[in-house]
Amino acid sequence: MASNPDTFETASTQADILRIGTREFSSRLLVGTGKYKDLSETQAAVEASGAEIITVAIRRTNIGQNPGEPNLLDVIPLDRYTLLPNTAGCYSAKEAVRTCRLARELLDGHNLVKLEVLGDEKTLFPHVIETLDAAETLIADGFEVMVYTNDDPIIARRLEEMGCVAVMPLAAPIGSGLGIRNPYNILEIIENAQVPIIVDAGVGTASDAAIAMELGCDGVLMNTAIAAARQPVMMASAMRKAIEAGREAFRAGRMPRKRYASASSPIDGTFF
């Protein structure tokens, strides 16, 4: 039977929207704004990434709270990007909640936030108990919470049940660049989730991002992998392509893995 020439075109061009809470996005790459040499490099890398959601550490970055200092919003305008305030550097639920409320004041009622409560300065692993506490308070206060957590499927499910609009399990420790250390846990989280699952932390290069997307993740958030590259703008471009390729491969459906060889050209029906 002849193949339909429109099949691939239809599948590849069909709208593939990422829905987070009440918002919709076409890019599945989320990027941070820390560790760049200056705001000019930040701007260039963000543009090359194609990202629409840009995360910013409220405790470390000026978005208007320090008049007279360089303002991130001068290069990341709110009419072009969705800013995702995060609570990086917070080690308690109380600190995290206060930081999110400050962000809402600075951004005129903006309520989409990334919750991150750390356990200690050495590992930067999430403090699960404090994270659950902060998430409960923020959701009750009207925030749409995207939450950084470990790769525990039970905790991921609990955070979703509480009302988090996205769950963000780590691939590896923050800034490590080790890639996905436990794909089976990530897969388990994905298969049981009804909200977007976005890998957050540990991605090091484009192949790591592609693997996350091929597993079925809805997106990947990264900062150091781009900012610490020898050429950050080029790496941002590479990450954009990796996210797109990984997502397309996931949607296409990979071939089954086999233990033994299988001829690409079947011998049935050969001419001689």
Side-chain angles (χ1 to χ4, degrees):
M1 179 182 295
S3 62
N4 183 347
D6 296 327
T7 301
F8 174 74
E9 183 179 355
T10 300
S12 63
T13 59
Q14 184 179 3
D16 184 28
I17 301 300
L18 172 61
R19 294 178 175 83
I20 300 177
T22 58
R23 297 166 172 82
E24 295 185 347
F25 306 94
S26 58
S27 173
R28 292 174 179 270
L29 174 57
L30 296 70
V31 298
T33 53
K35 302 184 179 181
Y36 292 99
K37 65 181 181 181
D38 54 33
L39 288 182
S40 178
E41 185 177 72
T42 303
Q43 182 181 31
V46 168
E47 289 179 353
S49 75
E52 297 169 291
I53 302 176
I54 314 300
T55 185
V56 54
I58 295 298
R59 293 163 61 94
R60 300 170 181 165
T61 306
N62 180 35
I63 59 170
Q65 67 269 46
N66 297 313
E69 295 185 8
N71 189 330
L72 179 68
L73 299 185
D74 291 337
V75 297
I76 308 295
L78 296 179
D79 61 351
R80 182 175 175 185
Y81 300 102
T82 295
L83 211 63
L84 180 63
N86 73 57
T87 61
C90 292
Y91 291 85
S92 70
K94 184 178 179 180
E95 284 182 303
V97 169
R98 183 170 62 246
T99 300
C100 288
R101 287 172 174 164
L102 171 62
R104 184 161 62 182
E105 290 180 11
L106 291 170
L107 297 171
D108 298 324
H110 180 87
N111 68 343
L112 181 67
V113 295
K114 176 194 165 187
L115 173 61
E116 175 181 312
V117 186
L118 304 177
D120 61 64
E121 294 183 3
K122 179 181 179 181
T123 67
L124 301 182
F125 282 139
H127 192 311
V128 173
I129 296 172
E130 294 292 307
T131 297
L132 291 167
D133 187 7
E136 184 176 30
T137 300
L138 291 170
I139 292 166
D141 199 17
F143 285 93
E144 291 185 305
V145 179
M146 300 172 64
V147 58
Y148 166 70
T149 184
N150 57 24
D151 59 3
D152 182 341
I154 305 302
I155 295 300
R157 185 171 67 229
R158 176 61 186 138
L159 288 164
E160 177 182 339
E161 290 170 348
M162 291 175 65
C164 292
V165 298
V167 176
M168 309 175 74
L170 55 80
I174 292 174
S176 67
L178 291 173
I180 296 179
R181 296 292 84 197
N182 196 337
Y184 301 104
N185 274 25
I186 298 294
L187 188 59
E188 182 71 17
I189 291 171
I190 293 167
E191 290 179 344
N192 291 282
Q194 299 299 316
V195 298
I197 301 301
I198 299 172
V199 159
D200 179 14
V203 168
T205 191
S207 58
D208 298 330
I211 288 170
M213 298 306 295
E214 288 171 4
L215 282 172
C217 290
D218 295 283
V220 179
L221 188 152
M222 64 183 74
N223 185 181
T224 307
I226 295 175
R230 287 195 297 272
Q231 297 189 48
V233 178
M234 184 181 293
M235 182 60 80
S237 176
M239 291 298 190
R240 177 179 187 168
K241 296 166 187 169
I243 293 289
E244 292 172 353
R247 177 65 179 177
E248 191 166 325
F250 170 74
R251 296 179 73 198
R254 65 156 292 140
M255 63 168 285
R257 289 180 171 88
K258 300 177 181 179
R259 183 176 179 183
Y260 298 108
S262 176
S264 298
S265 301
I267 61 173
D268 293 344
T270 54
F271 295 110
F272 54 85

